[in-house]
Amino acid sequence: MSAERPVRAPGRWAVLAALALLAVVMLSPFLIVTLNAFKSPAEYSSGGPLSLPKGLYLDGIIDFWNRVDFGEKLWNSLLISGAVAIGAVVLSVLNAYALGIGRVRGRLWILVLFLVANTLPQESLVYPLYYLSKQVGLYDSKLAVILIFTVIQAAFGTYLLSSVLGQFPREILEAASIDGAGKWRALSRIVVPISRPTLSVLLIFFFIWTWNEFFLPLIFLISNDNQTVPVALGVLQGEKMMDATMSSASALLGIVPAVAFFLIFQRTLTRGVTVGAIK
Amino acid sequence: MAPSPVRPRGRGGYWLFLIPSFVLFTVVIVVPFVMNVATSFTRWSGVGTPTWIGLDNYTKLFKDERFWTSFEHNAALIVAMAVVPTVIGLVLSAALFDYIGKKFGSRTASALRAAYYLPQVLPVAVAGVVWNWMLHPSYGAVNAIFGTKVNWLGDPDLALATVMAIMVWFQLGYPVVIFMAGLQRADPALHEAAEIDGASWWRRFWHITIPQIRPEIFVVLLTCTIAALKVFGPIFVLTRGGPGNATMVPSYFSYLNFFEKANVGYGSAIATVLALIIVVVTFLFLRVQERDS
């Protein structure tokens, strides 16, 4: 095809322009929210949502931060997501050690069970969990949410890590066993250090997935001082006190940590995003 | 499963490592799931003793128009969250990978990819907060941009389409990133040979690119379909299933019955049906994928 060879300069710029336009559309909500979070209500009502802010008006953000005690929400989210990430990685490693390296009997069925557990909708667990946690006095506590998500995330982690550890070099383990190392020692001194890159990817994924969760935290964390960032924002929006600029300030406060994690963990994430795809 | 013939000394006893998970799984997943199924055969308000009513909840469910409507909306959301992002994602990733990447450098391609991916990093509830604000009927930015006065989420004829559009925005980056990773794995020799043979970009896309990343397409379709079946956060934040039932989905419908109407038995039946559908869909997908490879 002769038309293909000569460089069709207008054509290639048109493709780039179309793709760039799409990028602008995708990013525009972020830009518009940021723009308006720094406006005063008066500025907003006179200039509308698309005008540039005349100065850096921070009162909307500060007001919202203080009213909902946003620092506390951040801390709750950090605590829950961090605890879940660590707990779920530990559980996943223990399970995957037994399934992938120990090759215990019936491991295929155990793996299927974990896979099913991972795909079950939380709706089909929520009411009994709610009921049981009330019975044992864990309702409206961060601990209940931590326990539940540790198990849910570990279901996925086990599934993934078992296949990774299934390919663990046997010679190393056999050498260790000849040297008299027991199973615990082999796990803590050999398997964990060697699989550290995979484990750190899992840790980050568990952290972010838990941070982003909404349904169970919404039901379990009803008191203000237990709420996570997404729950607080999701419940508050539409309230009377929320005018246009304060709403955009609240949206911005939800966006910033998520984008920060993305930037911090970007390298690990792009390496692992195909790993996460199995979820 | 045949026991492996070679069992070095000290290979037994690994099952001890499964004990913590076994206990926690039983408490957090197995028992609640069984309780949920059991509750679905009862009438129960959440307090007192449940009354056994057999299959009544299910017969009522299959006659309940809201239930069927909620599944129709689920189908619409599968289109918005799985089908449309996969199709657009295929075109975008191929365009970025072997057009922009080659003619403008891989930096331009990754910058564009990052822009498409950014909505994906948001908690879905926060994405809902953002769009609720953007689409606000009186002060929202969308109406200001287009000079319209539309109540995007409050008009029963528009609400579902609006939610679908938001979900396309939210999901699009995921297939783009996965497919681009898949294309990096694919063998470029085939492409170059076809290009030399004079195959057009579209022909190469259809006959070479797509078959090469089939596994990725499967994974994206499966995970996004499951996500669409489970969708709750955006509906809660954007519309609460309304106006009327215009955006009702099964997960929100069960939530309503559990926590607002105190129809726990009925809610459990909805949740059980939803769980069944999701498990069946997962196994069908995995079957097809197995046969395919």
Side-chain angles (χ1 to χ4, degrees):
Chain A
M1 213 176 277
S2 56
E4 192 76 3
R5 281 295 118 197
V7 185
R8 292 182 301 171
R12 64 179 217 166
W13 287 106
V15 173
L16 184 66
L19 292 172
L21 184 69
L22 180 66
V24 172
V25 172
M26 296 294 284
L27 293 179
S28 59
F30 294 90
L31 300 176
I32 294 173
V33 160
T34 311
L35 210 63
N36 291 291
F38 295 107
K39 279 184 201 166
S40 71
E43 227 181 315
Y44 188 90
S45 56
S46 63
L50 295 178
S51 66
L52 288 172
K54 299 213 173 58
L56 225 48
Y57 177 86
L58 294 171
D59 288 10
I61 295 172
I62 294 168
D63 250 21
F64 180 79
W65 183 292
N66 291 335
R67 262 197 232 190
V68 304
D69 199 351
F70 195 74
E72 183 187 61
K73 308 292 176 282
L74 276 176
W75 170 245
N76 290 341
S77 274
L78 261 173
L79 184 73
I80 292 174
S81 311
V84 167
I86 294 168
V89 166
V90 171
L91 276 189
S92 309
V93 169
L94 292 177
N95 294 341
Y97 188 50
L99 297 168
I101 289 178
R103 304 193 168 258
V104 297
R105 264 159 205 268
R107 65 177 181 282
L108 197 67
W109 288 110
I110 299 174
L111 276 177
V112 168
L113 203 73
F114 280 117
L115 183 65
V116 171
N118 193 248
T119 47
L120 281 182
Q122 292 166 2
E123 287 77 8
S124 67
L125 307 172
V126 67
Y127 204 87
L129 285 173
Y130 166 80
Y131 185 80
L132 292 172
S133 67
K134 274 192 162 172
Q135 300 293 311
V136 296
L138 279 178
Y139 181 60
D140 198 14
S141 75
K142 296 190 255 302
L143 183 60
V145 175
I146 291 172
L147 276 175
I148 295 169
F149 279 119
T150 299
V151 175
I152 292 178
Q153 309 288 31
F156 173 75
T158 301
Y159 183 70
L160 180 91
L161 207 55
S162 295
S163 65
V164 174
L165 290 191
Q167 278 147 25
F168 198 85
R170 296 259 142 204
E171 311 79 58
I172 303 179
L173 289 168
E174 267 148 33
S177 134
I178 289 164
D179 288 349
K183 294 190 189 66
W184 274 107
R185 261 185 91 83
L187 175 64
S188 63
R189 294 292 166 82
I190 299 167
V191 176
V192 169
I194 291 182
S195 346
R196 185 153 288 160
T198 318
L199 299 185
S200 57
V201 171
L202 272 186
L203 192 80
I204 292 167
F205 269 111
F206 291 161
F207 181 87
I208 292 179
W209 286 337
T210 310
W211 185 283
N212 291 352
E213 281 289 344
F214 183 70
F215 180 64
L216 288 177
L218 172 76
I219 287 151
F220 277 85
L221 304 174
I222 44 159
S223 63
N224 267 332
D225 39 346
N226 279 331
Q227 278 174 351
T228 61
V229 171
V231 172
L233 296 182
V235 172
L236 275 173
Q237 49 118 31
E239 298 265 308
K240 286 276 179 297
M241 66 155 198
M242 303 282 282
D243 58 24
T245 48
M246 195 179 273
S247 293
S248 60
S250 84
L252 183 66
L253 287 176
I255 291 173
V256 167
V259 173
F261 295 142
F262 175 63
L263 295 177
I264 296 168
F265 298 137
Q266 202 183 16
R267 275 224 181 134
T268 329
L269 281 176
T270 37
R271 230 189 303 136
V273 79
T274 33
V275 171
I278 306 162
K279 189 180 161 83
Chain B
M1 213 180 306
S4 59
V6 192
R7 276 198 171 253
R9 256 178 329 121
R11 279 283 300 278
Y14 275 103
W15 58 271
L16 286 170
F17 292 89
L18 289 171
I19 290 176
S21 285
F22 180 77
V23 174
L24 284 168
F25 259 74
T26 310
V27 176
V28 174
I29 300 202
V30 180
V31 169
F33 187 72
V34 172
M35 279 174 76
N36 184 74
V37 174
T39 313
S40 74
F41 300 115
T42 66
R43 187 183 301 117
W44 190 34
S45 66
V47 283
T49 324
T51 329
W52 183 269
I53 53 167
L55 289 171
D56 281 10
N57 281 326
Y58 290 93
T59 43
K60 187 175 147 204
L61 200 63
F62 289 115
K63 285 187 214 135
D64 189 341
E65 207 180 309
R66 292 179 91 186
F67 175 71
W68 291 108
T69 321
S70 72
F71 274 105
E72 278 164 33
H73 297 157
N74 245 348
L77 286 168
I78 290 175
V79 171
M81 291 174 69
V83 180
V84 172
T86 301
V87 173
I88 303 179
L90 274 172
V91 176
L92 285 177
S93 56
L96 286 179
F97 185 76
D98 64 35
Y99 196 87
I100 299 295
K102 279 173 193 155
K103 304 218 155 139
F104 294 92
S106 61
R107 281 210 164 172
T108 317
S110 3
L112 287 168
R113 180 184 63 179
Y116 303 150
Y117 189 72
L118 202 60
Q120 267 283 295
V121 312
L122 295 184
V124 73
V126 171
V129 173
V130 168
W131 278 103
N132 233 334
W133 179 84
M134 296 275 296
L135 294 168
H136 195 279
S138 57
Y139 60 64
V142 172
N143 276 338
I145 292 170
F146 295 112
T148 47
K149 285 218 169 303
V150 179
N151 192 352
W152 300 96
L153 291 162
D155 180 339
D157 295 328
L158 280 177
L160 184 64
T162 306
V163 172
M164 287 171 73
I166 294 170
M167 293 321 286
V168 171
W169 173 82
F170 183 71
Q171 287 286 90
L172 185 60
Y174 171 64
V176 172
V177 167
I178 302 285
F179 294 161
M180 281 184 78
L183 288 171
Q184 255 142 24
R185 175 179 54 76
D187 180 13
L190 262 177
H191 244 283
E192 280 155 18
E195 201 171 353
I196 291 164
D197 284 350
S200 69
W201 190 86
W202 276 107
R203 276 183 71 94
R204 279 180 280 138
F205 173 71
W206 192 252
H207 292 288
I208 299 172
T209 307
I210 291 188
Q212 274 177 333
I213 56 169
R214 259 179 120 88
E216 278 82 3
I217 298 176
F218 263 119
V219 166
V220 166
L221 280 175
L222 172 64
T223 50
C224 294
T225 302
I226 293 177
L229 287 168
K230 287 180 177 176
V231 74
F232 175 86
I235 299 297
F236 180 92
V237 174
L238 291 168
T239 62
R240 309 247 166 155
N245 287 320
T247 55
M248 185 61 74
V249 290
S251 67
Y252 192 75
F253 193 34
S254 72
Y255 168 85
L256 272 184
N257 279 290
F258 282 139
F259 297 107
E260 284 181 21
K261 298 181 174 176
N263 286 331
V264 179
Y266 198 53
S268 306
I270 302 164
T272 305
V273 172
L274 183 63
L276 202 66
I277 291 174
I278 290 175
V279 170
V280 168
V281 166
T282 308
F283 276 94
L284 283 181
F285 259 104
L286 293 178
R287 249 298 153 73
V288 174
Q289 188 181 22
E290 223 164 75
R291 202 171 296 166
D292 192 64
S293 56

